Amino acid sequence: MDSYSCAVKGHEDLHSPAVCVQGQSCSRVTYTKRGICVLKGSTVDISCTYVGYYYTTSTFWFRSDKSTPEDLTTDPGYAGRVEYTGTYKGPFTLRITDLREEDSAEYRFTFKTDNIEWGHSFPGTTLSVTGLQVKVTPAAKGQRTLTCSTTCILTDNHNPTYIWYKNGQRLHEPASQQHSSNLLVVWDSSVNIYSCAVEGQEDLHSPVVCFQVKVTPEQNSEYKTLTCSTTCILTGNPTYIWYKNGQVVTEKMSLYAVLPKAVESYYCAVKGHEDLHSPAVYGPKSTSVSVSPSGEIVEGSSVTLTCSSDANPPVDRYTWWYKNGGEFQSMTGPQHVFNQIQSSDTGEYYCEAQNEMGTDRSRTINMDVKYDPRNTSVSVSPSGEIVEGSSVTLTCSSDANPPVDKYTWYKKNGASLTGSENTFLITNINSEDSGEYYCEAENKYGRLNSSSVSVDVQC
């Protein structure tokens, strides 16, 4: 009753329309658009049509990056911003209002019937939420070129008309520039604060271009010089204000900062324009390691470790540390991929994230690689000559993770023997017990036979 579609590897979000193998009696979901790019603060409609040939008991939208599908209407992060519209016969629409950049994700639709639960693993619609950004570049002497841009192409406005604002007022001149993504301005001594918007969405302004912080390390890495700079030319001699963890600490252009291990954030502004302060700069924090795929790790599979950290400026160096029985060794990069992980990769791992402001370390995770039995062998006790009437113990040994949970004993040219433990006891042994013995060790990932041992009973 399922439908099928295909895609080219590397472009899995652009797969073909779903088709049924036999007739049209199968379940399927068809998304109106595979990718959508919209402005931060706006509203988006993501829609699909679906077919299910049993009575539908529930329908909902969810983010594919959640570990388990969660109805968006119950997600606290979307409280008051999500609405479902539509019916079985028409497009079923997810509407999200007051969009935020963290809403960027793939959204999927799923429905349940009395017989099936459909749609969890199939690609849905990828939403990209972008803010407007203004970039300032030098032009002729005394001039600057301002460029208004987005991080993706707006879905419903591929060639948008831009609107420019100066000190909060819309610009109407010169006519040749007022609707362009670029604006050439005279950078004079007055307070000129510029921002941009897209026509039709004038209430969604770009962030104001104003102050930024430059971080200069000193020779001692614990000390930094933070310098406040601005792309706004302010009247007179501006007084710079520095904030540490939200509290004013000094009034000067540069701040000589001692950065202890505790996470501290700094930002600056100009007196009289405190609401236009710079973004905060701080060292990495909330550093963590994730393992993909989650769950048990089996030898031979592909496993990816990812280091994530919150930092501004962004993390510019990741270092991985791992230990598997010896000293810790290091690797670099935000991700470490084991294409075919081995049992020798079992061990403890953590990562360090570093930027100009400091370093933070994640907690240690333990990676336990599972594998089937190996090095299976049988030993005989007592060793040496075996005399009729004595007792003999055969012991099966095997290296496996998880440990062997089932042992089977065999005598060559005979059936399997009674017993499932790793030892097999023969009491009051006689000549008929002479022969070749071997064992089979088994866990959930496989089984392996040992080589045989000879038991020769002397009369």
Side-chain angles (χ1 to χ4, degrees):
M1 297 296 291
D2 285 336
S3 58
Y4 293 83
S5 61
C6 64
V8 175
K9 190 171 185 178
H11 301 277
E12 288 82 358
D13 58 328
L14 302 175
H15 61 74
S16 69
V19 297
C20 304
V21 175
Q22 296 180 343
Q24 294 299 313
S25 297
C26 66
S27 301
R28 60 187 182 274
V29 173
T30 303
Y31 294 92
T32 306
K33 293 178 180 176
R34 285 293 175 187
I36 298 177
C37 171
V38 290
L39 288 176
K40 181 172 68 173
S42 65
T43 297
V44 68
D45 287 338
I46 304 173
S47 60
C48 70
T49 57
Y50 73 98
V51 176
Y53 282 86
Y54 297 99
Y55 177 78
T56 302
T57 57
S58 70
T59 58
F60 63 87
W61 290 85
F62 66 96
R63 284 176 63 135
S64 65
D65 55 359
K66 297 288 186 179
S67 57
T68 56
E70 179 182 359
D71 188 342
L72 287 177
T73 59
T74 64
D75 189 332
Y78 291 84
R81 300 193 298 124
V82 167
E83 178 186 5
Y84 294 161
T85 61
T87 64
Y88 177 88
K89 295 183 179 180
F92 195 89
T93 300
L94 162 66
R95 172 167 290 181
I96 309 175
T97 59
D98 188 24
L99 283 165
R100 305 160 187 174
E101 290 182 347
E102 58 264 32
D103 293 335
S104 296
E106 183 193 45
Y107 292 83
R108 297 180 183 176
F109 174 83
T110 184
F111 64 90
K112 295 181 181 179
T113 71
D114 293 332
N115 295 57
I116 61 168
E117 182 174 350
W118 203 97
H120 286 175
S121 59
F122 290 84
T125 296
T126 300
L127 172 65
S128 302
V129 180
T130 176
L132 289 167
Q133 301 174 340
V134 176
K135 182 180 179 182
V136 182
T137 54
K141 185 177 181 180
Q143 294 181 322
R144 298 287 188 274
T145 298
L146 309 184
T147 303
C148 187
S149 63
T150 56
T151 57
C152 54
I153 300 174
L154 298 176
T155 299
D156 296 325
N157 199 348
H158 288 195
N159 189 23
T161 298
Y162 292 95
I163 301 170
W164 286 96
Y165 298 84
K166 178 180 178 180
N167 299 332
Q169 300 298 312
R170 180 170 176 168
L171 287 177
H172 295 286
E173 293 179 346
S176 61
Q177 294 191 70
Q178 62 183 4
H179 296 313
S180 170
S181 61
N182 293 329
L183 180 68
L184 184 65
V185 299
V186 175
W187 217 247
D188 56 26
S189 59
S190 61
V191 180
N192 293 326
I193 300 173
Y194 293 88
S195 61
C196 65
V198 171
E199 193 170 68
Q201 295 178 294
E202 290 86 346
D203 57 329
L204 304 177
H205 280 226
S206 68
V208 172
V209 177
C210 209
F211 308 107
Q212 46 191 220
V213 176
K214 182 180 180 182
V215 182
T216 306
E218 299 296 323
Q219 287 185 343
N220 186 333
S221 60
E222 292 184 357
Y223 297 87
K224 312 286 180 182
T225 297
L226 310 181
T227 304
C228 191
S229 60
T230 176
T231 53
C232 304
I233 303 300
L234 306 173
T235 304
N237 294 317
T239 300
Y240 290 87
I241 304 174
W242 278 99
Y243 298 81
K244 175 182 174 181
N245 297 334
Q247 303 297 317
V248 176
V249 290
T250 189
E251 294 184 0
K252 55 184 179 181
M253 182 180 291
S254 295
L255 176 67
Y256 191 57
V258 181
L259 301 177
K261 292 182 179 179
V263 174
E264 296 178 340
S265 64
Y266 295 84
Y267 62 86
C268 67
V270 164
K271 206 165 189 175
H273 301 276
E274 289 86 347
D275 58 329
L276 302 178
H277 63 75
S278 72
V281 293
Y282 49 90
K285 59 183 180 179
S286 304
T287 305
S288 63
V289 175
S290 61
V291 183
S292 178
S294 58
E296 284 194 341
I297 299 171
V298 182
E299 188 173 57
S301 64
S302 176
V303 176
T304 301
L305 301 182
T306 301
C307 187
S308 303
S309 188
D310 176 21
N312 189 33
V315 173
D316 54 23
R317 178 178 173 81
Y318 292 92
T319 305
W320 287 94
W321 298 89
Y322 72 98
K323 181 180 182 181
N324 53 359
E327 294 297 320
F328 276 97
Q329 302 178 47
S330 65
M331 308 170 288
T332 58
Q335 287 190 327
H336 185 70
V337 179
F338 300 87
N339 290 319
Q340 287 189 317
I341 198 164
Q342 301 299 310
S343 59
S344 57
D345 296 318
T346 293
E348 297 176 337
Y349 292 77
Y350 69 88
C351 70
E352 288 181 344
Q354 180 179 354
N355 71 355
E356 298 168 336
M357 299 292 289
T359 303
D360 186 42
R361 168 184 164 171
S362 73
R363 66 177 179 84
T364 299
I365 65 165
N366 184 57
M367 256 200 340
D368 186 21
V369 181
K370 308 295 185 181
Y371 52 91
D372 56 359
R374 60 190 60 176
N375 302 325
T376 304
S377 62
V378 175
S379 61
V380 182
S381 178
S383 59
E385 190 175 85
I386 299 172
V387 179
E388 190 174 42
S390 63
S391 293
V392 173
T393 301
L394 305 180
T395 302
C396 186
S397 303
S398 186
D399 175 23
N401 188 18
V404 173
D405 54 20
K406 181 182 178 182
Y407 294 89
T408 306
W409 288 93
Y410 297 92
K411 184 178 182 184
K412 271 194 175 181
N413 302 321
S416 62
L417 304 174
T418 303
S420 59
E421 302 298 324
N422 71 317
T423 58
F424 184 73
L425 176 64
I426 307 174
T427 59
N428 194 23
I429 197 166
N430 57 54
S431 59
E432 293 181 356
D433 294 319
S434 295
E436 300 284 326
Y437 291 81
Y438 66 95
C439 68
E440 179 186 77
E442 181 179 354
N443 70 1
K444 64 186 293 186
Y445 295 109
R447 62 185 69 178
L448 181 67
N449 289 345
S450 71
S451 57
S452 60
V453 295
S454 177
V455 174
D456 184 16
V457 180
Q458 303 295 316
C459 297

